[in-house]
Amino acid sequence: MDIGDIIVESLEDLGVNNVFGIPGTHIYHVFRSIEERGTIKAVVNRHEMASTFMAEAYSRASGKPGVAIVTAGPGATNALTGIGQAFTTSSPVLLISGDVPLGERYDFHGLDEANILPWISYPLTKFSYVVDDPKQVEEYVKKGLICTKVGRMGPVHISIPRDVLGSKVSYKGIQIEDFQKYFVKIPDTTIERFLKGKIAIVLGDEAWYLDTIDKIAQLIRDLKSPFITSMVSLGSLPQTSPYFAGYYEKRFAIAKSARYVLEEADTLLLIGVRPDSVDSESLIKYAKSAETVIHILPSLYVRGELDEILYENESRIEYSEKSGKTIVNIYSPRYEIIDILIEQGLESKPFNTDYRDMINEFKEKIIEEVLTNSNRKPIHMGYAIYMISKYLPGEAIVTTDVGGNESWARDIIGLMNNVRYLYASGFGSLGYSFAAALGAKVATPNKEVISITGDGSLLMSLMELNTMSYHDIKAKIFVINDSSYGILGYLSKRDFDKEIETYIGYVNFAKIAEAMGIDSIQVNNSDKLEDAVRDVVKSNKPILVDIISHKDDIPPLWR
């Protein structure tokens, strides 16, 4: 059997239905097999960065591993931006790349060593490996895909040289041994003795996993504890929950309601937050009164050898003292410690802080501000986001980039609407939102998927309009078009007393979308905005809305 068939059948065996990528001479064996077998749908992109962005968002929206398949050289290096994004959001993605032949050393793509791709990708992945033996391809594809979801989820990279791809071997139908039986169960513990007083729960970047989020929700309800989410986990539990107290983002930002909850807490229960990380340090800094900090994580490992990750995922509990606080670190591969805590029937003492009132007061204040600017031309950026928020259905998926438009979106939509908020957190990739919306829509075709993006960001993934049109991916794109990298101008003026050049020129995105076969509308008048947003959200077509705004609409986050 051809190696291309081996790879595709291995993916089929593990339930893969969709892949993203671009064929090239060093990987088109796999795409040939996909076409001939017809069991997996390949979304062929126009740039490999979009392939891995789509795979990352596919995994966050569905809970299943996303798979990207790209060629050697620049195909693989282009894909690494999305792999970096997946690593920072703890998203399960398998990247399969072609590579130069092992048997011939020649300077194709400027890379004459097969090992160079794993060297480059190693810091961005859980595991990266050149499969140099055709007989090992099936094993590594299967183990690699499973590895993306074991313990701390994240990307895995497998590089397959062209001469290996050209080989023929027998398909063995390898059954990967049940790695879960190797997990050492959490030892009997009296950890509940540390959960006392006012307990604040924080959902970090490793808490959003769809396999375990329901038990976390039950723990929150049982404890009656307020919970705060990282930007990566925002929307994994409903924002309208009576226990939702806002978001935080590393040292960068924190909702006022969340800060007050942390300051009042006696115990911090940090689920999916790594000890000694920036997140942990920042949260503990706010929690001045807390006597105990408990970290619960799915794995000690962030990176490692493949079998080490699969079969040595050890449960453990560590105790220490730091700055007068008791620190408890629990590594629990399937978060089974949460089941133990639920069984204890514990309950938090009530908080004095009325965090829900704080959120509602903030909501009223920000809406009052944007409505004051409702008749302005060009359209106020916050008013545009508010209008989108009015017509979002419950449980929609909203994808965002970084910048001024996202800062308005996080406070108006991310904090107030019941949506899954997929943000380019951590890595901060421009070009993410649009491609991510396409991946999320492929994963969840029956959900409304909305991309909120800026003009500077959309220009970095503009070619994917053609992908959207060709594959009829029915996402909606709202472009906040201020003809600049707007927030950078404001920040540079703040930091240097002089605004750097951030103007990028006017682009009519509606006309570009139309040229690529996408329905579109441009709105530059507030009077027409509400009707346009309502009609677009109701539509069952791929649509782009080009909203003309102004770069000086600085969101509250940056003031």
Side-chain angles (χ1 to χ4, degrees):
M1 184 182 281
D2 290 341
I3 295 298
D5 292 324
I6 296 283
I7 292 170
V8 176
E9 188 155 345
S10 298
L11 296 175
E12 291 170 354
D13 281 356
L14 293 180
V16 173
N17 300 313
N18 299 276
V19 300
F20 310 94
I22 299 178
T25 57
H26 287 53
I27 201 66
Y28 59 13
H29 313 65
V30 180
F31 285 87
R32 173 202 57 78
S33 180
I34 288 172
E35 286 191 14
E36 290 181 355
R37 299 172 72 90
T39 53
I40 293 176
K41 178 176 174 57
V43 175
V44 176
N45 295 103
R46 308 307 181 251
H47 193 284
E48 292 89 355
M49 180 176 75
S51 302
T52 43
F53 281 160
M54 288 184 72
E56 187 262 8
Y58 178 94
S59 73
R60 292 170 76 182
S62 69
K64 302 175 182 177
V67 178
I69 302 174
V70 300
T71 195
T77 55
N78 285 344
L80 290 181
T81 298
I83 293 301
Q85 186 66 52
F87 191 78
T88 58
T89 56
S90 188
S91 300
V93 173
L94 176 64
L95 173 63
I96 300 174
S97 72
D99 212 333
V100 296
L102 293 169
E104 304 174 31
R105 292 302 183 114
Y106 67 100
D107 198 25
F108 184 69
H109 286 309
L111 305 173
D112 60 358
E113 290 190 47
N115 284 331
I116 197 166
L117 291 177
W119 291 343
I120 296 171
S121 64
Y122 171 77
L124 306 176
T125 58
K126 294 176 70 174
F127 176 78
S128 183
Y129 185 71
V130 177
V131 184
D132 55 8
D133 182 349
K135 295 177 182 178
Q136 291 183 321
V137 170
E138 179 186 347
E139 176 187 356
Y140 272 90
V141 169
K142 289 181 175 179
K143 282 186 175 180
L145 191 72
I146 292 171
C147 180
T148 65
K149 289 203 67 175
V150 172
R152 181 197 188 273
M153 294 191 194
V156 169
H157 171 225
I158 295 172
S159 177
I160 304 178
R162 196 176 192 278
D163 45 358
V164 172
L165 271 172
S167 305
K168 290 180 181 290
V169 296
S170 298
Y171 186 73
K172 299 177 182 177
I174 297 171
Q175 299 296 312
I176 302 301
E177 197 170 6
D178 181 9
F179 57 85
Q180 293 188 353
K181 76 179 184 182
Y182 288 86
F183 289 176
V184 180
K185 291 190 179 298
I186 202 78
D188 290 337
T189 176
T190 54
I191 191 66
E192 65 273 9
R193 74 183 189 274
F194 293 105
L195 285 172
K196 56 189 178 183
K198 300 172 184 177
I199 304 166
I201 296 177
V202 178
L203 308 187
D205 293 353
E206 298 174 45
W208 66 264
Y209 304 158
L210 299 187
D211 299 340
T212 53
I213 194 66
D214 286 346
K215 69 169 72 175
I216 295 174
Q218 183 179 341
L219 178 65
I220 290 168
R221 290 192 299 268
D222 290 355
L223 288 174
K224 297 182 174 60
S225 291
F227 73 92
I228 300 159
T229 75
S230 73
M231 290 300 296
V232 170
S233 289
L234 184 60
S236 55
L237 293 177
Q239 288 91 330
T240 53
S241 163
Y243 303 113
F244 177 60
Y247 67 79
Y248 77 94
E249 186 180 10
K250 304 189 186 297
R251 293 195 179 103
F252 178 62
I254 185 167
K256 179 182 177 182
S257 52
R259 187 175 74 246
Y260 273 63
V261 163
L262 291 174
E263 289 174 354
E264 192 179 338
D266 299 312
T267 302
L268 281 190
L269 182 57
L270 309 183
I271 303 175
V273 179
R274 296 214 155 250
D276 300 321
S277 65
V278 170
D279 294 48
S280 179
E281 291 174 2
S282 300
L283 294 164
I284 292 173
K285 183 178 178 181
Y286 283 113
K288 296 180 176 66
S289 300
E291 298 177 359
T292 305
V293 179
I294 302 171
H295 301 87
I296 300 179
L297 290 150
S299 174
L300 176 64
Y301 296 110
V302 175
R303 302 178 184 87
E305 294 299 319
L306 201 54
D307 285 350
E308 180 181 52
I309 294 170
L310 289 175
Y311 302 128
E312 298 177 21
N313 209 338
E314 179 181 333
S315 298
R316 64 173 71 184
I317 299 179
E318 301 170 344
Y319 302 92
S320 63
E321 298 285 332
K322 185 176 181 180
S323 302
K325 300 181 189 297
T326 300
I327 308 295
V328 184
N329 301 331
I330 304 173
Y331 300 96
S332 178
R334 288 170 289 176
Y335 282 137
E336 63 267 62
I337 184 64
I338 293 175
D339 296 316
I340 294 174
L341 294 177
I342 289 170
E343 291 169 2
Q344 305 305 313
L346 303 172
E347 188 171 318
S348 171
K349 286 186 178 179
F351 279 67
N352 297 323
T353 300
D354 198 329
Y355 45 88
R356 293 304 303 175
D357 276 356
M358 282 188 178
I359 290 175
N360 290 330
E361 287 170 11
F362 178 78
K363 178 180 180 179
E364 291 171 5
K365 183 177 179 181
I366 198 170
I367 290 175
E368 180 182 1
E369 176 183 345
V370 299
L371 290 178
T372 301
N373 291 280
S374 61
N375 295 318
R376 205 196 65 188
K377 186 176 180 180
I379 297 168
H380 188 276
M381 198 177 293
Y383 182 68
I385 300 296
Y386 170 66
M387 277 300 156
I388 296 169
S389 77
K390 279 187 67 175
Y391 293 98
L392 279 175
E395 299 186 354
I397 295 174
V398 176
T399 65
T400 62
D401 289 294
V402 292
N405 63 85
E406 188 282 322
S407 300
W408 282 107
R410 71 166 60 183
D411 282 338
I412 294 177
I413 293 175
L415 196 58
M416 303 174 195
N417 287 69
N418 270 348
V419 298
R420 182 68 174 100
Y421 193 84
L422 302 188
Y423 165 52
S425 184
F427 215 56
S429 307
L430 286 178
Y432 173 78
S433 175
F434 173 36
L438 299 184
K441 188 64 177 179
V442 171
T444 57
N446 295 324
K447 284 191 175 182
E448 191 69 70
V449 179
I450 301 288
S451 165
I452 296 174
T453 185
D455 49 338
S457 183
L458 184 57
L459 285 170
M460 296 189 185
S461 55
L462 193 63
M463 68 290 291
E464 301 306 321
L465 284 169
N466 184 245
T467 306
M468 184 187 200
S469 174
Y470 181 79
H471 292 281
D472 194 30
I473 303 173
K474 296 179 174 65
K476 315 290 172 52
I477 317 161
F478 290 91
V479 190
I480 309 301
N481 187 351
D482 63 2
S483 301
S484 71
Y485 297 115
I487 200 67
L488 292 177
Y490 169 78
L491 293 176
S492 63
K493 190 173 182 179
R494 182 196 68 183
D495 293 343
F496 311 133
D497 295 323
K498 181 181 179 181
E499 186 172 332
I500 63 171
E501 181 60 68
T502 57
Y503 181 69
I504 59 178
Y506 167 70
V507 178
N508 190 322
F509 290 100
K511 286 188 174 180
I512 295 173
E514 183 181 350
M516 293 198 187
I518 300 293
D519 285 3
S520 62
I521 181 173
Q522 185 177 86
V523 187
N524 56 17
N525 189 319
S526 297
D527 293 341
K528 299 179 180 179
L529 179 63
E530 183 164 8
D531 288 343
V533 171
R534 182 181 57 245
D535 293 346
V536 164
V537 173
K538 285 182 179 179
S539 173
N540 192 35
K541 295 180 179 179
I543 300 180
L544 179 144
V545 184
D546 187 3
I547 301 174
I548 306 303
S549 66
H550 196 283
K551 70 181 183 67
D552 290 336
D553 298 333
I554 306 304
L557 175 67
W558 297 101
R559 297 173 193 166

